[in-house]
Amino acid sequence: MKVLIINGSPRKGNTLTAVKAITRGIESRTDAADIEITQIDAEGKNILPCKGCNACGSMSRCIFADDSPEINEAVEAADAIIFATPVYWWGVTAQLKLIIDKFYARATKLGSGKKIGTVVIGGAELDDPEYEIIQKQFECIAEYLGWEVAFAKSIFANDPKDLSQMEDTLAELEKLGAEL
Ligand SMILES: Cc1cc2nc3c(=O)[nH]c(=O)nc-3n(C[C@H](O)[C@H](O)[C@H](O)COP(=O)(O)O)c2cc1C
């Protein structure tokens, strides 16, 4: 099984902590030797915003030279994808959205039947509508692409070290990785 983890945070904080916990969970599995984990950190990737030119319709890749083809290749190859993002203004980070928009270049070729897991981390309490809004967005994307949402986890953590002190949540994230 190939697992792709896309980390949407630009800082080494809660999202990275969540990604590491899920990775530990995957690595604890009895079949771990047969699992290949690839992590893509959105920060530092050179992704130009989609301009809606539709040139990708005939090229199956963005007409502009950026890192999106290699990311789309990794998405295409993956059996399972974990999307982990902080909440920025009631949405996913711009870094992650840039990557998602470029799925458009290969929307019919990415492959259906993948499992996805989502981790959304915000500085507001869990009753804030932002978590529902973002998880719904992932749900719609998954439905459109024929993917199955294996888990959707929302976490309230604000300061970069908050999640590293939340032992129960970390154990839950490890379990989600182990059961993916
Ligand atoms: C530009 C920006 C916008 C943010 N907007 C929100 C928001 O709308 N709702 C929220 O709950 N937290 C918001 N936050 C707080 C982050 O979601 C929170 O600190 C999160 O833990 C950051 O994750 P990280 O440590 O992985 O970077 C925002 C933070 C930044 C920097």
Side-chain angles (χ1 to χ4, degrees):
M1 178 165 75
K2 288 188 176 178
V3 180
L4 173 66
I5 302 177
I6 304 181
N7 165 22
S9 177
R11 70 177 184 179
K12 290 182 170 52
N14 298 308
T15 309
L16 188 61
T17 302
V19 162
K20 284 181 179 166
I22 290 173
T23 302
R24 278 197 303 279
I26 298 170
E27 287 170 347
S28 74
R29 291 165 57 134
T30 49
D31 61 348
D34 301 324
I35 302 178
E36 187 185 313
I37 305 172
T38 303
Q39 183 179 323
I40 290 177
D41 298 306
E43 174 70 4
K45 290 291 175 197
N46 171 33
I47 312 283
L48 298 169
C50 176
K51 297 185 194 305
C53 67
N54 278 325
C56 60
S58 50
M59 299 168 68
S60 295
R61 54 161 289 154
C62 186
I63 194 168
F64 300 106
D66 69 9
D67 292 336
S68 62
E70 69 184 53
I71 297 176
N72 279 345
E73 260 173 45
V75 169
E76 210 167 314
D79 302 296
I81 306 166
I82 313 290
F83 294 93
T85 183
V87 181
Y88 275 13
W89 289 99
W90 287 263
V92 303
T93 59
Q95 289 89 337
L96 178 57
K97 188 60 166 50
L98 287 171
I99 287 176
I100 291 173
D101 281 356
K102 292 295 174 87
F103 289 176
Y104 190 72
R106 297 191 66 80
T108 57
K109 300 185 177 68
L110 291 175
S112 58
K114 300 177 196 295
K115 277 194 214 174
I116 71 159
T118 63
V119 183
V120 177
I121 306 180
E125 303 265 0
L126 291 176
D127 59 359
D128 192 288
E130 62 192 20
Y131 301 104
E132 213 179 312
I133 292 168
I134 297 170
Q135 297 291 10
K136 187 72 192 175
Q137 185 182 14
F138 280 123
E139 210 181 288
C140 291
I141 291 168
E143 194 182 335
Y144 180 72
L145 293 171
W147 298 347
E148 176 206 341
V149 180
F151 68 81
K153 177 73 187 156
S154 299
I155 298 169
F156 163 37
N158 195 27
D159 293 329
K161 290 203 166 114
D162 280 354
L163 181 57
S164 62
Q165 286 150 14
M166 295 161 60
E167 284 178 19
D168 290 353
T169 308
L170 290 174
E172 205 184 323
L173 289 166
E174 284 184 26
K175 193 159 177 272
L176 289 171
E179 291 174 356
L180 184 68

